Amino acid sequence: MSSAKEANLSALYAELNKFGQNGEYERALKAANKILSSQADEEKAFHCKIVSLIQLSKFNDALGFISKNPKLSSDLTFEKAYCQYRLNQPQEALKTVNSEQQLSVKLKELKAQILYRLEQYEECFDVYRDIIKNTEDDYEDERETNLSAVLANLCIEGSEKELPALRETTYELVYNTACQLIGRQQYIEAEKKLRLSEKMCREMLEEDGSTEDEIEEELAIIRVQLAYCLQLQGREKEAQGIYTAALKRKPDDISLVAIASNNSVAINKDQNVFDSKKKMKSASSDGLEHKLTSRQRKNIAVNQCLMLLYTNQGDQCQKQCELVSRLYPDLTADLSLVRATQLARDGRAREAAAILEKAASSSPTQELEMKLASVQLLLAQGDRKEACNILRNLGDSTFKPGIVSALVTLYLADNNREGASNILRDAVEWYKRSKDKGDLRLLWRQAADLNMRSGAPNIAAQSLEELLKLNPDSTKTLAQLVIAYAQFDPAKATALSKKLPNLDYQGQDVDALESSNWIMGTKVIKKATKVEPSPGSKAGTPGDELLQKKLKKKKKRKGKLPKPYESGVLPDPNPDRWLPKHERPGYRKKRVDRRFRDAAIGKGTQGTAAGASDMYDMSKVSNQSKASPAATSPIVEPGPRQQQRKVQQKGKKKGKGK
């Protein structure tokens, strides 16, 4: 009986092996179940069953059988971890792998894939480097390609780790090298590598006998990355064309569709909103959470919020921002800006400023950015006092030159000269204590000018003294200090003025300069000019008398009154009523449009050239017809230059006829 069972078991195992070798996993699964139904403790049959389920992509079933049969699955750590990895449970898969004390090569490779999915790129890099160093088989190119992908992500994240240079023998390796260059912001070199990768990919796939659709499907990934590289260079029109062409082919890779759609929306911004809304749906479809990296998912989520902002969907924008903030807490500050912008558009600037203040307290790295944005909103509402309070309480950032300048401007706008003087003084004191000395000369000079305008020359003198210590050879500073002292300490001003350089007046006629025309305006010069007789003329000469008569005011003549006029009954008539209009005192010459100033208006019939009016004078036409029989010939309209010459010729003929 036992021999019959053994014979039957060996036959079933032979059948199971045959199905496994031929890749007939459905039949292999049935054969394994037959063995397990007769012998439930057969570990090999159980192992074959799990492998068959994995090959049929029935990961849930495989994981369920492993969990129910711990005794039979003690050596199935790899299969269990792989099922968890494929079911998008990377954390559980990593725990399963780490439960083994000694990792085999296949477990190490699985661990590297899990770490890549978890975006733990530095640990993944170490695992791949260990595998490549300690193994020699036919999978060396695949491992090196995966390692180059890890290096590309490390470059994108800005890792300071020293990264090795890899070969570029395949189009995948060249593509990953281009991604590394993009991470280092070397976009021109990355563009060259991507174009080379595209060429190598086509040549390689054509040699392998791939169809055109398969080639285009593989090239689409390289082209979309090339479009992203062009977009980063500012060549958005070229990038948009590549994105559009890639999406028109409707690729099967949903992650590729999502990335191309999102990048296209980023180019559109607030234009082509209808097209952007359709593409944003593709970029945020279901099933992408495990296909994209966290960085890509964050960018798409922020773009969704911006899309709602551009389309003026205020309530939905606020809800979406709150939802994304809960999913990605590190995006709270950025989304607070979006929320504040939406509230400001709705006329709720104070609420927007409160949101930014809250975001600033929760995000130290972006505190200054948030507070400056809230200051801008408050200034838009005219609340300068609160804006000054925020700027005054920025800590060390308050004394940055731009913020000091803004505070001085705001204080002066409120006529608070004391506050402006205080902030300048505090800024100087802060720079004295700080390691970063900054440009104290500019601050001292601004403080001195402000105090001089405010009527505080003694405080201004202190600022100028400090400024003079920094630059003792400055004549300008010394002169300003003398002016300041002159207002409250004349003795000190006199003593200090001796240090000023002497002015050299050699060769200068002071009287001539004072009486020169550039000092006075033209009207003053005319009034001040006196008519004096020329040196050669004598007093009383006819020319002198005539000049004097012209300078005398003309006496107004008493105007004539009409005969029936009765004095006192009607108002006095205008004495200039008999004068022509152009001679009356209130006459103003009519302005002529510049366009028609030089035009010959009124010199003939409208629309005709000079001299053409004679052609339409019937009396002259009749005389012409008698004098010249050629006048009845048809008229050919020449160009402008020919027309002028022809008119002159006609004039000559008329002269001869007469």
Side-chain angles (χ1 to χ4, degrees), residues 172-234:
E172 294 100 334
L173 287 167
V174 176
Y175 172 83
N176 288 335
T177 302
C179 294
Q180 292 181 43
L181 292 170
I182 291 174
R184 297 190 187 108
Q185 300 182 358
Q186 299 175 13
Y187 304 125
I188 297 174
E189 293 82 357
E191 180 188 349
K192 293 177 183 177
K193 293 289 183 184
L194 287 168
R195 295 191 186 279
L196 176 62
S197 175
E198 183 180 358
K199 180 183 176 183
M200 291 174 66
C201 178
R202 176 172 286 280
E203 292 173 353
M204 180 179 173
L205 294 178
E206 284 176 352
E207 288 177 5
D208 292 343
S210 301
T211 63
E212 186 62 27
D213 289 340
E214 292 172 345
I215 295 172
E216 287 296 325
E217 188 77 19
E218 190 68 20
L219 288 174
I221 300 170
I222 303 172
R223 287 170 180 166
V224 168
Q225 189 71 3
L226 174 63
Y228 175 65
C229 184
L230 295 172
Q231 185 177 350
L232 293 176
Q233 294 181 60

Side-chain angles (χ1 to χ4, degrees), residues 301-309 313-329 331-342 355:
V302 172
N303 284 342
Q304 279 182 296
C305 298
L306 289 172
M307 192 70 227
L308 294 170
L309 174 67
Q313 301 180 57
D315 293 338
Q316 293 184 29
C317 179
Q318 295 292 332
K319 291 177 182 176
Q320 184 68 20
C321 287
E322 291 175 4
L323 175 62
V324 176
S325 295
R326 287 195 295 270
L327 290 173
Y328 307 107
L331 292 178
T332 302
D334 294 328
L335 294 171
S336 296
L337 285 172
V338 179
R339 293 180 63 193
T341 304
Q342 181 62 55
I355 287 175

Side-chain angles (χ1 to χ4, degrees), residues 83 101 104 122 142 322 412 426 503 531 563 579 653:
C83 289
Q101 293 181 352
S104 61
E122 292 197 1
E142 286 81 354
E322 291 175 4
L412 291 178
D426 293 345
L503 296 176
V531 179
K563 289 182 180 180
L579 297 174
K653 286 182 181 179

Side-chain angles (χ1 to χ4, degrees), residues 368 395-407 427 430-431 443:
L368 181 60
D396 291 343
S397 298
T398 299
F399 303 109
K400 291 186 176 182
I403 295 176
V404 171
S405 175
L407 277 168
W430 184 85
Y431 276 108
L443 288 172

Side-chain angles (χ1 to χ4, degrees), residues 609-615 624 638-657:
S613 58
D614 294 341
M615 297 170 60
Q624 261 188 345
R641 291 186 177 180
Q642 293 175 350
Q643 192 173 9
Q644 292 176 3
R645 287 197 288 270
K646 195 168 184 179
V647 170
Q648 291 174 2
Q649 289 172 2
K650 281 188 177 181
K652 289 180 181 178
K653 286 182 181 179
K654 285 182 183 178
K656 287 180 181 180

